[in-house]
Amino acid sequence: MLHINPAKCLMDEKVHIKITNLKSCENVTVKCEVEQNGFIYVSIAHLIASLNGEVDLANDPSFGGSYIGIDQMGIFWSMLPATGQKLGLRYIPRNVTDPAKYKLQVYKGHLNDNDFVKEHNIQVDKTNKKQPIVEGVVLRCCSAPGVTRYEVKHGSVRGTIFKPPGKGPFKGVIDVYGSAGGIVESRAALLASHGFIAFTLPHHRYRDLPKELHDVSIEYFIEAIDYFSSLDAVQPGIGMIGISSGGLFAMVLSALSSKLSGIISINSLSYISFVMKKNNQQYPPIEDILIDLQKAMPWQEDDKGGILVDLSIYDKRTDHLTLNIDQSNAKFLLIAGEDDKCVNNKLATDKLLKKMYKSGKGDNIDLLLYPGAGHFIDPPYMPLTLLHYNPIYKRPVAVGGKIVHTAAACVHSWTEILKFLNANVGKLNFHSKL
């Protein structure tokens, strides 16, 4: 028998999986599979039943497969795109109001990836398909019961707001993603499930917004901040969280709006290395030679088939472009992976920390630097990726990191993110002097 507890839960909650009625010391493989946008993500674990014929993923080690050792959630965080699919897939829950169905199957023996490859090819040979001895489903949700979702179309601002149950007002957070554009709602839905009112804010490649990143204006973000902070359900002193270029936007805006009290930047540069718009002018005033240098840099390919695109420059040519976060009275949390292949986080965070300490605001900034972690440090226990298809480059991009280290960073940072937002967002903690 397969015991799953709870059978329905939030994405960031732990699941207890236990298998009973096995043979004493029997070798078994546990397989986990989820489909998203027509693509399959999968993991396997090799386990050995106890003398009384039981396997408990919270207490028994995996001896092979997608992860090694004892880890209650290893079968979830070790999931990767299934063999034979296109490169560059990234798991992003799209319909966050409906739960994702994670299928769990138990097979006899210790099976490998190639034993399952036929299940995910176009030509499926059903006669040779291995049969599980037991299977079940766990429903994993981004949105808790009572969380409401509504789309935003206000002036030029677009996006989605997730509101917790109750009247509020609630601590408010604006959530921004990176250069790939589009909209990602999963983190905002989870934040609302933890009591925040969360506004996921797209900036390009969404509805009638600009098609390209260089057409995004600072005024768009200011308009979004003013709109969100004016809502009756939002407490004064809002937070902003962003990953990659989304983190850049959050840090830039911290010096331009007194309505931001807590900023979280995940794997972001210390300066804007691309052209934006402000008052219909180029922003920031990046020198043409810097743009030309970046264009001239050759793309290199890593051993997994992705290109390396860290085009950041850290020397005297960019020192004066370091973000002016010292002009803000907000609190900052920098989250960074040391093995990020898109951003040199050691140098980027060093620039920002030095600027804050030099201005006497060192107490306003904290850093979480994770060894071995890559670019995508997201909410925990979801499938990860080592490659990501980026529409700017029109190719899969290497994001770096080892899966086990990135997964650990996702778990730890998510707890710290919730602590930071609770401590630094909302009316009781907002004392802007701007």
Side-chain angles (χ1 to χ4, degrees), residues 75-220:
I75 199 70
F76 294 103
W77 61 250
S78 65
M79 300 182 79
L80 290 171
T83 305
Q85 300 180 118
K86 69 179 184 179
L87 294 177
L89 294 175
R90 184 184 179 198
Y91 180 84
I92 298 176
R94 293 301 181 188
N95 189 356
V96 298
T97 56
D98 292 333
K101 296 180 180 180
Y102 284 71
K103 183 167 65 175
L104 291 162
Q105 298 174 309
V106 182
Y107 294 84
K108 291 184 177 181
H110 285 166
L111 307 179
N112 296 310
D113 288 339
N114 55 7
D115 293 308
F116 299 105
V117 71
K118 288 184 180 179
E119 297 184 38
H120 312 300
N121 285 347
I122 296 175
Q123 296 178 344
V124 179
D125 183 355
K126 294 183 178 179
T127 60
N128 291 334
K129 199 174 180 183
K130 298 181 182 298
Q131 296 297 318
I133 56 177
V134 64
E135 58 186 341
V137 171
V138 54
L139 301 178
R140 307 187 65 219
C141 317
C142 293
S143 185
V147 170
T148 55
R149 173 191 180 274
Y150 60 94
E151 293 192 24
V152 172
K153 189 175 183 181
H154 177 85
S156 65
V157 177
R158 303 291 180 264
T160 312
I161 289 179
F162 293 86
K163 178 182 169 295
K167 293 183 178 180
F170 306 96
K171 296 174 182 288
V173 183
I174 297 177
D175 189 13
V176 188
Y177 274 76
S179 61
I183 190 167
V184 179
E185 297 183 339
S186 49
R187 187 165 58 198
L190 278 171
L191 287 171
S193 300
H194 286 277
F196 301 94
I197 182 167
F199 179 17
T200 182
L201 180 66
H203 39 78
H204 73 291
R205 290 198 176 99
Y206 178 75
R207 302 202 186 283
D208 57 347
L209 293 178
K211 299 298 183 185
E212 303 298 334
L213 187 61
H214 59 251
D215 289 325
V216 177
S217 70
I218 290 294
E219 286 81 10
Y220 172 78

Side-chain angles (χ1 to χ4, degrees), residues 15-41:
V15 180
H16 189 188
I17 299 168
K18 188 175 181 179
I19 305 137
T20 58
N21 295 342
L22 299 170
K23 294 179 181 178
S24 178
C25 300
E26 182 178 7
N27 289 348
V28 295
T29 296
V30 177
K31 178 188 175 189
C32 186
E33 179 182 299
V34 67
E35 180 180 350
Q36 184 64 230
N37 293 339
F39 298 107
I40 301 292
Y41 301 80

Side-chain angles (χ1 to χ4, degrees), residues 269-337:
L269 292 172
S270 62
Y271 70 96
I272 299 180
S273 61
F274 51 86
V275 176
M276 294 179 61
K277 290 182 178 178
K278 184 180 180 185
N279 299 324
N280 292 320
Q281 301 293 321
Q282 177 176 303
Y283 182 84
I286 301 177
E287 289 80 355
D288 290 339
I289 187 173
L290 194 58
I291 299 173
D292 291 340
L293 278 170
Q294 292 181 338
K295 288 180 178 178
M297 288 183 179
W299 284 348
Q300 296 179 352
E301 192 167 300
D302 79 342
D303 58 357
K304 297 177 180 62
I307 58 171
L308 301 168
V309 297
D310 180 13
L311 305 182
S312 54
I313 299 171
Y314 289 100
D315 58 28
K316 60 184 179 182
R317 289 169 291 180
T318 59
D319 282 348
H320 65 291
L321 296 174
T322 302
L323 299 171
N324 294 323
I325 61 174
D326 56 324
Q327 295 180 12
S328 170
N329 286 315
K331 300 285 188 178
F332 293 85
L333 175 61
L334 307 181
I335 297 172

